[in-house]
Amino acid sequence: MLMANDELTGHSPAKPQSGRTVLDPHFDPHLDRYAARTAGMTASEIRALFAVASRPEVVSLAGGMPNLAALPLDTLSTQVAQIIAEDGLTALQYASAHGLPPLREQICDVMALEGITAHPDDVVVTVGSQMGLDLVTRLFCDPGDVVVAEGPSYVGALGSFASYQAQVVHVAMDEHGLVPEALRAALRQARITGRRVKFLYTIPNFHNPAGVTLAVERRAEILEICRTYDVLVVEDNPYGLLGFDGQTYPALHSLDPDNVVYLGSFSKTFASGLRVGWVLAPPAVREKLVLATESATLCPPTLNQLIVSRYLATHDWQSQIKTFQQNYRERRDAMLSALEQYLPPGCTWTKPDGGFYVWVTVPEGVDTKAMLPRAVSAQVAYASGTGFYTDGSGSRQMRLSYCYPTPERIREGVRRLAAVLHSELELARAFGDRFGRIQLPSR
């Protein structure tokens, strides 16, 4: 009887190595087996930051984690225990891919705050709105199809589009959001060149990453443009209830329900870790979404849905949202004040009236992606602008998030960032001509 080599040598079998990162794809033994669409699946710049940004000595202005300290954790823990004790056989069991009916009714009440009149049957509960976005892209996009999106755009959306081999065409924004004429020009050009645009992806309220809000007077015009060019609208609205003055804007879906697919989430207004979101879609799309959900997850987690439903039924969730608004407004104010105090001349930034983010543009001669390692060495992290485009743009931009750190940490983080920026600008002035960089004016 032949013995294994380890038995002959007396050595114990080596334990398999898990968690290894394959740095060179040519060493991947499965390389020839992957589907062609995996070529577009790459780690986002934001995810790559998490390991360093989570170190306690680093002030992270990079991630968009909600600040959950204001949640009534004692009450929630009691309610979760009650759900298990009273409804455990339901809470821990499979459920419909459509989502629990009581929760879908409550979601309609939430959307009513933004002018949406919806039937619970047209709501599909998802594992976060990211899953909804992925499913919508899966349903509508063939390889080579075009998705039009604001430039910059949400990095998670760009990842979904890439995974289904859709091509992204960015459309310009200004301080009032998506520019209608730029959208019209992009759709006209796509038609002339024979490219098939499947949908416009937009974040109209408190944009991630730009921080701007689509002007109300532009909303009907943008919807009309999409109707004219036979383009669906996918409205991603995780921040819509987080306006700092308490104002809510009319959802695009409320203006054109037959041509808008709406993505919602409880991640920003309740608890991100529960991963409960939803899609509101026209009936034909809804049916395909339910089928797609069944194939992706079978059903969204029942326990998580029950937790959200119990919270909405027993807690003053609208007052809780007001508390979040106040907390984020305080942090936004700290961010804007620190930017004004510390950033060097030539920097500009948006002034959000809700949401989580400020979008900063730095002077020519500074590359925010190249600068990032030096910023991390100075114990501050941000998200460089290039991660929010698919066309190489954004090298002079960065996203700063104010939602999670305390106001004091925000001010310290901006102070550290400003010191790094000052150094970069001094280098640009000193060596700009020698290395072909644009010479900056003296301060």
Side-chain angles (χ1 to χ4, degrees), residues 91-260:
L92 304 178
Q93 185 57 276
Y94 291 124
S96 166
H98 202 158
L100 298 178
L103 178 58
R104 289 190 278 115
E105 292 179 5
Q106 292 166 312
I107 286 171
C108 291
D109 294 335
V110 173
M111 292 188 294
L113 297 178
E114 296 176 301
I116 293 176
T117 301
H119 193 283
D121 287 351
D122 293 330
V123 175
V124 179
V125 179
T126 57
V127 184
S129 61
Q130 179 69 34
M131 175 185 169
L133 176 59
D134 190 85
L135 293 179
V136 169
T137 309
R138 174 180 165 189
L139 290 181
F140 284 100
C141 289
D142 291 315
D145 284 343
V146 172
V147 172
V148 173
E150 293 127 340
S153 192
Y154 167 50
V155 66
L158 300 182
S160 286
F161 304 152
S163 70
Y164 291 103
Q165 299 174 284
Q167 304 298 311
V168 175
V169 172
H170 288 296
V171 177
M173 289 189 292
D174 60 19
E175 67 272 22
H176 303 296
L178 182 65
V179 178
E181 189 49 48
L183 173 63
R184 185 180 287 108
L187 296 181
R188 183 188 306 119
Q189 182 63 25
R191 177 173 287 183
I192 291 172
T193 57
R195 304 181 73 189
R196 191 178 186 189
V197 179
K198 285 299 184 68
F199 57 79
L200 164 68
Y201 170 75
T202 180
I203 306 172
N205 302 319
F206 321 126
H207 188 274
N208 176 9
V212 299
T213 294
L214 180 61
V216 173
E217 57 269 20
R218 288 185 179 182
R219 299 189 178 215
E221 183 179 1
I222 284 171
L223 292 170
E224 180 58 32
I225 292 170
C226 289
R227 279 280 189 181
T228 299
Y229 284 89
D230 192 27
V231 171
L232 180 72
V233 177
V234 176
E235 177 182 15
D236 195 355
N237 191 35
Y239 309 100
L241 297 181
L242 293 178
F244 298 147
D245 59 0
Q247 180 180 1
T248 56
Y249 295 91
L252 298 178
H253 189 281
S254 71
L255 304 175
D256 191 358
D258 293 332
N259 198 49
V260 177

Side-chain angles (χ1 to χ4, degrees), residues 315-389:
H315 193 74
D316 186 356
W317 56 271
Q318 293 193 48
S319 291
Q320 184 66 57
I321 288 175
K322 290 179 180 178
T323 299
F324 284 136
Q325 291 169 349
Q326 294 166 2
N327 288 346
Y328 294 137
R329 181 174 57 235
E330 180 184 14
R331 287 162 168 77
R332 187 277 314 265
D333 291 346
M335 173 73 76
L336 295 181
S337 174
L339 293 174
E340 187 68 37
Q341 179 178 357
Y342 292 118
L343 255 56
C347 294
T348 60
W349 51 87
T350 57
K351 297 176 174 60
D353 57 357
F356 284 7
Y357 306 108
V358 171
W359 186 244
V360 177
T361 300
V362 300
E364 291 189 59
V366 176
D367 185 321
T368 59
K369 184 176 181 180
M371 186 181 76
L372 184 56
R374 293 184 281 279
V376 173
S377 295
Q379 299 184 347
V380 61
Y382 58 85
S384 62
T386 53
F388 302 96
Y389 291 89

Side-chain angles (χ1 to χ4, degrees), residues 2-15:
L2 295 176
M3 292 186 293
N5 187 59
D6 288 319
E7 294 175 356
L8 289 170
T9 59
H11 296 307
S12 299
K15 293 182 178 179

Side-chain angles (χ1 to χ4, degrees), residues 97 124-135 264-267 272-279 293 296-302 304-305:
V124 179
V125 179
T126 57
V127 184
S129 61
Q130 179 69 34
M131 175 185 169
L133 176 59
D134 190 85
L135 293 179
S265 176
F266 290 107
S267 292
S272 54
L274 291 175
R275 308 306 301 130
V276 176
W278 70 90
V279 182
T293 300
T297 64
L298 192 60
C299 65
T302 309
N304 294 15
Q305 293 181 76

